[in-house]
């Protein structure tokens, strides 16, 4: 099996990037607490969707999302947000609403940014959501991958964790993507709370290892690889705050030996000294070599949510543009860092700003 990542050309495809997952409404209390707030700013967000949105808004590429929404005002609010981001919705499933939300609804995510010694805090209210009910046979993958054509397909462990049917839908999608030569990128994004209903860590490993057989690009931090795929990182402490680059390389080599279909394995390295000050960098393993991004020590964080998705999007852009693994990991790390400098899950930067950050340009006023 070739270790080179082969990507279809733009000319033979309709989409540069398609994401498959749930798009939620995020309620943000600013710098207050969810439990006390009288006012929330509302954003859209989803681990998989955030990649497609940045692909369009930051990188200027053709992006679409596959998800499901209810036919009600909250579903239409999410639609309005997605349309603002320029992401195509022609493959979105619309579900009839029963007036109560027993049959279908929009998932809600209440998330605090955190500050100093108070960490970020998330509280989800997402049961019975439209996207969590997606099952095999609902999406015409043959049309998407076969007729329209997709260069990069992004999905992940958050969506697979929602229910047994979403995990089965992910497997159905990646099988068809594989058949048509679409790059499959999977962000493990381990969330212990989401996997409880599917057998905890043991269930997560069984499902993710099944999905992993179809993946070309595997993204996740050291906890993700450990919890979702069962690989151990030597030298990482119990809370996985201290990881040696060489130890990560050994773990990735073991993963690639077991899953030779992995062409790229990548991770962000975050040492959260406080909620507001993090050390931030990234690693990318490609064709037997490990590539490391610039290390940003004591990076000031405004809103950490979406930093990993920003990394995944920048990494994808680097490979889609044929810029090579070192550039890809730099684009990813810089974009993730900038995504954490603004509120909301999605980034608010343009490619020129990412490239300026990659060159180490400071934060002097731009006039």
């Amino acid at each position: 099996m070739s270790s080179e990542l082969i990507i279809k050309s733009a000319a033979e495809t309709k989409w540069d990037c398609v994401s498959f997952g749930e798009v939620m409404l995020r309620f943000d209390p600013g710098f207050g607490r969810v439990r006390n707030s009288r006012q929330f700013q509302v954003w859209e967000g989803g681990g998989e969707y955030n990649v497609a949105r940045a692909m369009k808004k930051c990188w200027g590429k053709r992006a679409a999302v596959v998800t499901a929404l209810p036919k009600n005002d909250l579903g239409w609010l999410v639609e309005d947000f997605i349309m603002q981001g320029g992401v195509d919705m022609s493959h979105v499933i619309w579900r009839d609403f029963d007036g109560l939300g027993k049959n279908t609804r929009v998932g809600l995510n209440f998330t605090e940014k955190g500050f100093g010694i108070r960490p970020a805090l998330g509280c989800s209210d997402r049961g019975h959501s439209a996207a969590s009910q997606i099952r095999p046979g609902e999406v015409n993958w043959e049309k998407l991958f076969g007729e329209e054509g997709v260069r990069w397909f992004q999905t992940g462990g958050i969506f697979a964790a929602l229910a047994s049917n979403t995990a089965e839908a992910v497997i159905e999608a990646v099988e068809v993507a594989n058949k048509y030569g679409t790059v499959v990128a999977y962000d493990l994004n381990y969330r212990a709370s989401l996997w409880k209903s599917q057998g905890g860590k043991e269930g997560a490993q069984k499902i993710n290892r099944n999905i992993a057989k179809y993946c070309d690009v595997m993204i996740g931090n050291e906890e993700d690889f450990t919890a979702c795929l069962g690989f151990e990182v030597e030298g990482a402490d119990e809370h996985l705050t201290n990881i040696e680059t060489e130890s990560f390389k050994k773990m990735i080599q073991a993963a690639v030996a077991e899953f030779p279909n992995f062409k790229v394995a990548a991770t962000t390295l975050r040492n959260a000294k406080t909620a507001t000050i993090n050390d931030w960098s990234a690693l990318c393993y490609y064709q037997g070599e490990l590539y490391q991004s610039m290390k940003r020590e004591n990076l000031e964080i405004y809103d950490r949510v979406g930093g990993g998705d920003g990394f995944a999007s920048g990494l994808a852009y680097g490979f889609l543009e044929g810029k090579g693994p070192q550039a890809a990991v730099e684009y990813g790390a810089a974009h993730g860092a900038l995504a954490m400098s603004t509120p909301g899950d999605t980034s608010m930067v343009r490619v020129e700003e990412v490239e300026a950050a990659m060159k180490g340009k400071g934060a002097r006023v731009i006039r």
Side-chain angles (χ1 to χ4, degrees), residues 12 30 51 99 111 158 184 189 216 250 279-280 292 312 325 367:
E12 63 184 311
V51 176
T111 307
I158 290 179
V184 173
N189 252 331
D216 303 290
K250 281 182 191 170
D279 294 336
W280 173 261
Q292 183 153 13
R367 301 187 195 278

Side-chain angles (χ1 to χ4, degrees), residues 135-210:
R135 58 190 66 255
E138 278 199 284
V139 179
N140 189 343
W141 299 115
E142 286 287 334
K143 181 184 178 187
L144 184 64
F145 295 118
E147 295 173 31
E148 296 180 1
V150 179
R151 300 177 73 200
W152 191 282
F153 181 62
Q154 184 81 32
T155 189
I158 290 179
F159 184 59
L162 295 182
S164 58
N165 52 279
T166 58
E168 289 160 11
V170 168
I171 291 168
E172 177 191 49
V174 296
E175 282 179 341
V176 181
N178 263 190
K179 184 169 86 170
Y180 288 105
T182 294
V183 169
V184 173
Y186 190 80
D187 194 335
L188 290 162
N189 252 331
Y190 180 67
R191 302 284 187 274
S193 57
L194 293 181
W195 283 104
K196 279 181 188 172
S197 65
Q198 292 204 68
K201 199 175 283 190
E202 193 177 312
Q205 289 185 11
K206 184 180 177 184
I207 290 165
N208 282 301
R209 287 175 70 85
N210 193 13

Side-chain angles (χ1 to χ4, degrees), residues 97-330:
F97 179 59
D98 65 357
L100 284 173
K102 282 185 176 180
N103 71 325
T104 190
R105 56 180 292 232
V106 170
L108 309 179
N109 188 18
F110 295 82
T111 307
E112 298 175 7
K113 296 180 180 70
F115 189 86
I117 63 168
R118 176 171 58 83
L121 175 73
C123 180
S124 290
D125 179 17
R126 65 195 301 175
H128 311 293
S129 69
S132 72
Q133 296 175 49
I134 295 175
R135 58 190 66 255
E138 278 199 284
V139 179
N140 189 343
W141 299 115
E142 286 287 334
K143 181 184 178 187
L144 184 64
F145 295 118
E147 295 173 31
E148 296 180 1
V150 179
R151 300 177 73 200
W152 191 282
F153 181 62
Q154 184 81 32
T155 189
I158 290 179
F159 184 59
L162 295 182
S164 58
N165 52 279
T166 58
E168 289 160 11
V170 168
I171 291 168
E172 177 191 49
V174 296
E175 282 179 341
V176 181
N178 263 190
K179 184 169 86 170
Y180 288 105
T182 294
V183 169
V184 173
Y186 190 80
D187 194 335
L188 290 162
N189 252 331
Y190 180 67
R191 302 284 187 274
S193 57
L194 293 181
W195 283 104
K196 279 181 188 172
S197 65
Q198 292 204 68
K201 199 175 283 190
E202 193 177 312
Q205 289 185 11
K206 184 180 177 184
I207 290 165
N208 282 301
R209 287 175 70 85
N210 193 13
I211 294 168
K213 295 182 292 193
Y214 302 97
C215 298
D216 303 290
V217 180
M218 187 59 78
I219 301 167
N221 63 24
E222 56 277 13
E223 181 188 12
D224 297 328
F225 273 92
T226 302
C228 296
L229 298 177
F231 294 105
E232 296 298 327
V233 190
E234 288 177 28
D237 64 23
E238 182 191 350
H239 301 291
L240 296 164
T241 54
N242 172 40
I243 174 174
E244 295 296 328
T245 304
E246 210 44 50
S247 298
F248 182 79
K249 185 178 180 180
K250 281 182 191 170
M251 181 194 71
I252 293 300
Q253 285 171 332
V256 171
E258 190 162 341
F259 296 99
N261 49 291
F262 289 0
K263 307 292 193 300
V264 177
T267 186
T268 55
L269 300 178
R270 182 200 296 268
N271 176 24
K273 296 176 176 178
T274 71
T276 326
I277 301 290
N278 291 187
D279 294 336
W280 173 261
S281 63
L283 299 172
C284 171
Y285 182 85
Y286 182 63
Q287 292 190 317
E289 297 293 327
L290 195 66
Y291 300 86
Q292 183 153 13
S293 76
M294 175 195 305
K295 291 182 180 178
R296 292 175 171 85
E297 294 186 353
N298 298 318
L299 181 70
E300 290 170 301
I301 308 293
Y302 184 81
D303 181 353
R304 70 172 276 165
V305 179
D309 305 330
F311 168 71
S313 180
L315 183 84
Y317 173 75
F319 279 109
L320 283 168
E321 292 294 285
K323 293 177 181 289
Q326 185 64 53
V329 76
E330 296 287 5

